[in-house]
Amino acid sequence: MSNLERDPDATWSATAVAPARRPEIIEAREVPLGGPRAMTVHRTLPSRERTLIGAWCFIDHYGPSPVSETGGMVVPPHPHTGLQTVSWLFSGEIEHRDSVGSHAFVRPGELNLMTAGRGISHSEMSTPASDALHGVQLWVALPSESRSVEPFFETTPSVLAEIDDALVRVFIGSLAGASTEVTTFTELVAAEITLPAAGSVELPLRPEFEHGVLVDAGPVTVSGVEAARTELVFLGQGAESVRLSAGPEPVRVVLIGGVPLGEQILMWWNFVGRSHDEVVDYRSEWQREAGFDASPAAGAAWRRFGDTDHHYEGTPLPAPELPGVRLKPRAR
């Protein structure tokens, strides 16, 4: 999924984070994904409070959105650099195409993981099989030594585990005795966890990780702190477990976590880079390769973002205008 904001903030992050003494609530902001019948997402990362949880740098939570009302998901070809996109659905179906030739369908219970590396472009469309779309789109920042890898795409089923009253679907890393084998470049975990009404679970955590708990259905009490639907609960390093307790309604959350990235990143629009000049170059290359800028450039025969056609009936997504000042760190 693309960040479709027309005036995206620059996000600069350093990951030296002190351990949290108590879970912190991060409230979502609503972001329409463009068009007269825009599907609205709830974004909790990046936020004013926090820009990274481990290497996780972006969380969009959407739905359930009736396709008949919103028009579904229609995201034209658009670029990414320096990150991995993680697509996870609760309901619906999305068709994915990308510039390395991948053609796949995102379905509930299956992980779709796209590694942008030095650069990739892709498109996403909800299919006629979708009455409603409901899920999350997550991004992971790649560390410096891996951020220029060749792009690739993979899909894999999640792994189920039961612990206490919870059903756990692990789709990245290991949790509750369940593990998956997918390509990551820092240590990560991600899982969907459901609880029945009045149910509870105590999940072991790796204390060297930072963690986040995104609430899809609730409310839910997270280690003594009550969180409502769309809110994200941040758990700093040092937590050896997390207790989730449901009230009178069933609960569904997505747990993410990872070791702190340990370096600075600059994120603007769909690019993760390290400097203002680097992001400017990414934007210029995309505008040229997508046909919005016909000016010649050295090495133009090489295409960072590959084939931008994707069998899409329409034009690729143009990059927003850059701000009139150099991209700088944002106050936290």
Side-chain angles (χ1 to χ4, degrees):
M1 185 182 295
S2 174
N3 179 359
L4 295 179
E5 289 183 280
R6 299 311 303 165
D7 188 20
D9 289 333
T11 302
W12 180 285
S13 176
T15 59
V17 180
R21 296 181 181 179
R22 179 176 172 82
E24 303 172 13
I25 297 289
I26 299 174
E27 295 183 355
R29 61 187 177 97
E30 292 189 352
V31 179
L33 291 187
R37 296 191 299 167
M39 185 175 76
T40 297
V41 302
H42 296 92
R43 185 166 298 165
T44 45
L45 273 186
S47 69
R48 288 186 174 87
E49 296 87 353
R50 187 156 300 280
T51 54
L52 286 169
I53 296 177
W56 300 94
C57 61
F58 184 91
I59 301 175
D60 269 1
H61 175 208
Y62 55 91
S65 301
V67 171
S68 60
E69 296 178 11
T70 65
M73 183 179 292
V74 182
V75 184
H78 60 278
H80 289 288
T81 62
L83 56 79
Q84 292 179 292
T85 65
V86 176
S87 300
W88 183 256
L89 282 177
F90 306 129
S91 65
E93 183 180 72
I94 297 170
E95 184 177 16
H96 164 101
R97 293 180 185 268
D98 63 41
S99 55
V100 298
S102 310
H103 181 206
F105 292 89
V106 186
R107 298 185 176 103
E110 299 177 358
L111 168 69
N112 278 243
L113 180 67
M114 185 182 74
T115 299
R118 52 90 175 161
I120 197 170
S121 60
H122 74 132
S123 59
E124 296 160 298
M125 305 279 291
S126 52
T127 72
S130 299
D131 294 325
L133 284 177
H134 188 190
V136 293
Q137 177 75 18
L138 313 168
W139 296 355
V140 178
L142 294 175
S144 289
E145 64 270 19
S146 305
R147 68 191 186 97
S148 296
V149 298
E150 289 298 307
F152 62 94
F153 178 86
E154 58 193 299
T155 183
T156 186
S158 56
V159 179
L160 284 173
E162 293 186 39
I163 178 171
D164 298 339
D165 298 325
L167 181 64
V168 180
R169 292 182 180 271
V170 180
F171 53 96
I172 292 179
S174 300
L175 184 70
S179 298
T180 62
E181 294 186 7
V182 295
T183 306
T184 60
F185 297 87
T186 56
E187 293 187 89
L188 299 171
V189 67
E192 175 189 326
I193 302 159
T194 55
L195 283 169
S200 64
V201 63
E202 185 91 15
L203 289 168
L205 301 179
R206 291 180 57 176
E208 69 271 29
F209 278 20
E210 298 172 328
H211 291 88
V213 178
L214 176 69
V215 184
D216 174 66
V220 60
T221 300
V222 180
S223 293
V225 174
E226 184 168 308
R229 185 177 185 276
T230 76
E231 291 182 334
L232 175 68
V233 183
F234 171 71
L235 303 167
Q237 289 176 284
E240 296 184 350
S241 67
V242 60
R243 184 168 185 82
L244 305 175
S245 302
E249 301 294 332
V251 160
R252 175 162 52 201
V253 303
V254 173
L255 171 75
I256 61 169
V259 293
L261 187 60
E263 57 183 279
Q264 294 179 329
I265 66 168
L266 179 60
M267 185 167 69
W268 180 83
W269 194 44
N270 297 318
F271 306 131
V272 172
R274 295 299 186 274
S275 70
H276 170 92
D277 292 339
E278 193 172 61
V279 169
V280 169
D281 287 345
Y282 291 156
R283 182 190 182 278
S284 296
E285 287 179 274
W286 170 249
Q287 292 294 95
R288 184 179 66 251
E289 292 180 20
F292 300 111
D293 182 359
S295 61
W302 179 75
R303 297 174 64 88
R304 178 181 295 278
F305 301 106
D307 178 14
T308 60
D309 177 66
H310 303 183
H311 303 280
Y312 178 79
E313 295 182 2
T315 59
L317 193 66
E321 292 296 326
L322 284 159
V325 296
R326 290 184 67 84
L327 301 176
K328 295 180 179 180
R330 187 178 64 179
R332 297 181 65 181

